[in-house]
Amino acid sequence: MDISLNYEKLLLGILQFIIIIALAPFFAGLIHKLKQNFRGQKGINMFQFYFNFGKLLRKGVVLSDEASYISIISPYIILSVYLIVLGMMPAFYIYSLFSRLSDIIVIVYTLGAGVFFLTLYSLDQGSPFGGLGGEREWFFTMLSEPSLIFIFITLAIYSRKGMLVSIFDFIQKNALGGHFSIAIPFILLISLFILGLSENARIPIDNPETHLELTMIHEAIILEASGKYLGIFEYSSYIKLSIFLTLMSLIIFPYIAYTPIDIPLALGLYIFKMAMFCFMISIVESLNPKMRLFRAPNLLSIAFIISLIAMILSIRGV
Amino acid sequence: MVRLAELFSVLILISAVLNAGSPFIKFGIKLYSFQSLMLALYTLMVALYSNTSALYLSFLFIILFKVVIIPYFLFNTLKRVEIKREIDLALGIPESVLFAGSLTLLSNIIAERVIKTTVTFGSLIFTISLATFLIGAMLMITRKTLFSQIIGFLTIDNAIFLAGNSFTHGMPLLVEFGVLFDLLAAVLILSLIIIHIKKSSLKTGLRS
């Protein structure tokens, strides 16, 4: 596949980038709304998270006296890390903005850099909860990162390509002709779903809504954040959710536009698939209790072995 | 059709791995039922592929016995002895899941060396059935309650069925019936033993 850019591709890539970023809080709000409807509550406005973000941006920042320059730079670094990874995803148009950058190893370790700065931030302000949250975050990342690498390597081995864009190009071309395995995307989807729940602090692993000391993982890290920085952290967590949902939607049923004419249909399908995954996540979150912290390795080890099985399948060339 | 058969066979392996990853007995029985359903659908695929009429009958009997009757008996027994989960495991949950994964890798290596001839849906089926067999044996060894050991035994049986169907285009119908009835009798006797152990509370090293 040719990934050299011209002006038209670049323009459409920027358009796609802006649309995905703008949609990210909508999906988080949709999950929240669906969960509240399951509980029998009326629920928030689906666009509530945009208002929250706007409100937080207007507020001032309070930093502790212990804080060093890490606290000032790391919100921007985390936001830019997730923006770069989201910019690599060919969500509905194949020539994504950072398509020439989208090597699979780069994606995994860029996400790792995000976690690194998140935990540095948690330690920097000297709060007792920050260290606790950072420790738990590393615990889960350490368990889930091997499976993420295996998922990408499975796709790379099966399609014999190294770039994310070329992998999904391969999958789409072969899936339409019926030459693509059903088993590999299906079990990758199971594994990726578990990873998405764990990485985005969703319910069986962590509860994003409470500030209870026993349960909080992600919330404990950003407990000290306020004002603009809190807004940036929340927005980057929506973008991270969007990254995982986009990957799932690309694996299960890729429909990516190659020409500008196909874009409206592809965009509609993209939003539909994302809404379906939001629905699934809200069902899982409503029906399951939160796990004990030390039962989480059970779930994550299952995700790891499932992606290992997928890798064996791809090596055998099903 | 070949793609669907692959999906079903992989799901058999995955349900065995999930069985190794959960200490809950009710969930284990449900997973066994799901695994047998996948085995039945796989048999249907082989029947459609090779056009063997005996395999359609085998499909129906698998659904009748393995998906409905045996889980029903197991659930009934479970209701009477009232245990919910495995209490002390010989091997922890993450360890046994990782062990199941390494058994899969091992059987992949063995299958690549052993199988040179073509099997119905590729030599992948041999990998999957061998891995499922080994995981079932692991369940029988590492679990301490009799229920999980029965589930391990039934998993081994499913693996043998899978291998038999893919190597031979189906065993003779009489043999399959014999195996199914044997299985049913074994499950009935084992349920009686479970209830007996529960009642007499013998210190046999086994738990109900």
Side-chain angles (χ1 to χ4, degrees):
Chain A
M1 179 194 152
D2 176 31
I3 47 173
S4 62
L5 292 174
N6 57 23
Y7 283 115
E8 185 201 341
K9 290 173 183 172
L10 194 64
L11 210 64
L12 286 169
I14 291 172
L15 182 73
Q16 163 176 265
F17 186 53
I18 292 170
I19 288 177
I20 312 176
I21 292 170
L23 278 175
F26 169 73
F27 293 120
L30 184 63
I31 292 177
H32 202 84
K33 167 99 178 170
L34 285 169
K35 266 168 69 179
Q36 285 179 324
N37 283 348
F38 266 110
R39 294 184 203 136
Q41 296 166 337
K42 188 170 156 238
I44 54 166
N45 187 348
M46 268 188 273
F47 301 97
Q48 182 64 42
F49 287 167
Y50 293 100
F51 302 135
N52 288 359
F53 181 60
K55 187 186 77 183
L56 285 172
L57 277 191
R58 271 181 272 120
K59 292 196 169 182
V61 178
V62 181
L63 281 177
S64 102
D65 296 338
E66 309 288 324
S68 66
Y69 67 98
I70 291 284
S71 296
I72 300 168
I73 59 168
S74 56
Y76 300 106
I77 291 181
I78 292 161
L79 182 67
S80 52
V81 158
Y82 292 141
L83 283 183
I84 288 170
V85 177
L86 193 63
M88 294 172 188
M89 300 281 160
F92 54 88
Y93 180 63
I94 189 76
Y95 302 102
S96 58
L97 186 57
F98 300 125
S99 53
R100 307 190 64 155
L101 208 69
S102 65
D103 194 89
I104 47 172
I105 306 291
V106 172
I107 290 177
V108 175
Y109 286 99
T110 316
L111 287 174
V115 178
F116 178 71
F117 275 97
L118 199 62
T119 44
L120 269 193
Y121 179 86
S122 75
L123 294 173
D124 191 49
Q125 304 206 6
S127 145
F129 288 123
L132 183 142
E135 188 187 359
R136 290 180 177 174
E137 179 79 19
W138 269 121
F139 177 54
F140 287 131
T141 309
M142 182 190 79
L143 288 168
S144 63
E145 203 161 67
S147 345
L148 198 60
I149 295 175
F150 268 22
I151 286 171
F152 282 123
I153 287 181
T154 305
L155 289 172
I157 290 177
Y158 191 76
S159 60
R160 303 267 190 284
K161 296 196 171 53
M163 309 284 265
L164 196 70
V165 184
S166 347
I167 287 172
F168 286 118
D169 171 57
F170 176 87
I171 291 178
Q172 184 178 0
K173 278 181 182 149
N174 287 287
L176 291 178
H179 296 300
F180 195 72
S181 153
I182 308 174
I184 290 178
F186 189 81
I187 58 182
L188 282 187
L189 192 72
I190 301 174
S191 179
L192 203 56
F193 193 80
I194 297 174
L195 286 189
L197 291 178
S198 141
E199 292 267 317
N200 294 298
R202 292 277 146 194
I203 261 185
I205 314 282
D206 179 13
N207 193 345
E209 288 170 19
T210 60
H211 280 91
L212 191 64
E213 179 190 333
L214 279 173
T215 60
M216 58 187 179
I217 298 165
H218 185 70
E219 287 299 323
I221 294 174
I222 59 171
L223 199 63
E224 291 289 309
S226 57
K228 194 166 64 175
Y229 289 171
L230 182 61
I232 291 175
F233 276 127
E234 305 247 300
Y235 209 95
S236 21
S237 73
Y238 306 147
I239 290 176
K240 194 175 184 186
L241 178 69
S242 209
I243 290 170
F244 276 86
L245 289 180
T246 308
L247 258 182
M248 283 196 266
S249 74
L250 281 174
I251 285 177
I252 190 68
F253 181 72
Y255 187 86
I256 312 169
Y258 284 85
T259 51
I261 309 159
D262 289 338
I263 284 185
L265 180 59
L267 178 60
L269 265 174
Y270 170 71
I271 292 175
F272 174 71
K273 284 184 290 186
M274 297 283 272
M276 288 301 294
F277 281 115
C278 289
F279 186 64
M280 271 166 66
I281 286 180
S282 67
I283 286 179
V284 169
E285 285 203 59
S286 308
L287 296 184
N288 285 301
K290 189 194 161 298
M291 274 185 181
R292 235 163 9 99
L293 185 69
F294 290 107
R295 267 187 63 203
N298 301 357
L299 200 59
L300 291 171
S301 66
I302 288 174
F304 176 65
I305 295 304
I306 288 176
S307 50
L308 178 76
I309 292 172
M311 199 171 83
I312 291 175
L313 283 184
S314 71
I315 290 173
R316 298 295 287 271
V318 176
Chain B
M1 197 154 55
V2 180
R3 303 284 175 200
L4 273 178
E6 279 159 16
L7 177 63
F8 295 142
S9 58
V10 168
L11 282 177
I12 290 174
L13 177 57
I14 283 180
S15 55
V17 171
L18 283 181
N19 228 334
S22 115
F24 298 104
I25 289 165
K26 207 169 176 181
F27 184 61
I29 300 171
K30 278 180 193 164
L31 267 179
Y32 169 70
S33 179
F34 172 76
Q35 193 183 43
S36 314
L37 184 65
M38 288 301 123
L39 180 67
L41 289 175
Y42 176 79
T43 316
L44 186 65
M45 288 298 138
V46 178
L48 288 171
Y49 184 78
S50 65
N51 235 337
T52 323
S53 57
L55 279 177
Y56 291 105
L57 261 180
S58 150
F59 162 71
L60 286 180
F61 274 91
I62 288 176
I63 283 204
L64 184 65
F65 278 93
K66 291 192 168 181
V67 183
V68 181
I69 294 181
I70 291 178
Y72 172 76
F73 277 126
L74 286 176
F75 273 126
N76 256 357
T77 320
L78 190 63
K79 227 180 257 172
R80 289 175 63 176
V81 297
E82 290 171 347
I83 44 171
K84 285 201 173 106
R85 51 173 293 176
E86 198 84 14
I87 295 164
D88 63 333
L89 301 149
L91 204 62
I93 294 293
E95 291 90 345
S96 60
V97 173
L98 282 184
F99 196 44
S102 39
L103 287 178
T104 314
L105 275 177
L106 178 73
S107 52
N108 184 37
I109 295 167
I110 294 174
E112 271 182 346
R113 298 251 169 118
V114 169
I115 298 295
K116 301 289 183 196
T117 57
T118 50
V119 193
T120 304
F121 288 125
S123 64
L124 183 77
I125 304 296
F126 187 71
T127 308
I128 285 171
S129 64
L130 193 58
T132 315
F133 186 94
L134 290 174
I135 290 171
M138 188 198 74
L139 280 179
M140 283 181 79
I141 294 166
T142 59
R143 297 294 169 92
K144 284 183 183 166
T145 65
L146 199 47
F147 256 113
S148 305
Q149 292 175 358
I150 293 174
I151 291 172
F153 169 68
L154 293 171
T155 308
I156 288 180
D157 178 73
N158 271 355
I160 294 173
F161 246 78
L162 181 64
N165 277 338
S166 55
F167 279 119
T168 60
H169 292 257
M171 291 175 269
L173 206 54
L174 202 63
V175 177
E176 285 199 12
F177 286 163
V179 171
L180 280 173
F181 277 113
D182 267 1
L183 207 63
L184 189 62
V187 168
L188 281 179
I189 293 167
L190 283 169
S191 335
L192 283 180
I193 291 175
I194 288 173
I195 292 170
H196 185 70
I197 290 176
K198 178 75 180 177
K199 272 182 186 161
S200 59
S201 68
L202 286 171
K203 297 287 179 197
T204 50
L206 279 176
R207 295 201 184 81
S208 54

